Amino acid sequence: MAQAQAHVGSAAPTVDHEGQEHPIKLYLVVWGWLFVLSTFSYLVDYFHLQGYLRWSLILLFMILKAGLIVAIFMHMAWERLALTYAILLPPVLVLVFVAIMVFESEYVHALRTMAFGGP
């Protein structure tokens, strides 16, 4: 019995890795991209861009940074596609509805201006 335990104890330890491990290089590259995108976002203000170009660039850089964070740091890139759709599709639909409301508000504003007069 003691020999059997000694034999079992002398076996090479096995390490089971249940989770996924990703190389640190991936996280450093993503961190670098986040730094570059943040720099571009600040450069929009530095060069005094105005109007739709300013807001389009700021929103573009913001969406790209959020996508990198969700994909890599929140491990969404390694999840099942159905789970990815379940998490990402509702915010995308909210953005679509907000865009529809923006266009609708311009139409309503034009109608009110025509009906009631104004500036």
Side-chain angles (χ1 to χ4, degrees):
M1 182 75 177
Q3 291 178 346
Q5 288 178 348
H7 179 69
V8 170
S10 66
T14 60
V15 178
D16 293 330
H17 292 284
E18 294 289 330
Q20 298 176 347
E21 292 184 16
H22 308 289
I24 191 71
K25 179 182 177 185
L26 175 68
Y27 293 104
L28 292 176
V29 168
V30 169
W31 182 83
W33 275 108
L34 289 174
F35 181 77
V36 168
L37 290 172
S38 295
T39 302
F40 287 160
S41 183
Y42 289 119
L43 286 177
V44 168
D45 282 336
Y46 182 78
F47 289 118
H48 302 290
L49 298 177
Q50 298 295 324
Y52 288 122
L53 177 64
R54 177 179 190 261
W55 290 108
S56 300
L57 288 174
I58 287 175
L59 288 175
L60 175 71
F61 295 138
M62 181 182 66
I63 289 172
L64 288 175
K65 288 190 295 185
L68 279 173
I69 290 169
V70 168
I72 303 301
F73 292 117
M74 296 176 72
H75 304 272
M76 191 62 65
W78 298 280
E79 293 293 337
R80 293 182 184 171
L81 195 57
L83 182 62
T84 302
Y85 285 152
I87 292 173
L88 295 181
L89 199 55
V92 170
L93 290 177
V94 167
L95 289 177
V96 168
F97 291 139
V98 167
I100 291 171
M101 286 189 292
V102 167
F103 291 123
E104 182 70 20
S105 68
E106 291 178 4
Y107 173 72
V108 170
H109 180 70
L111 280 181
R112 287 184 179 179
T113 303
M114 285 181 8
F116 302 114

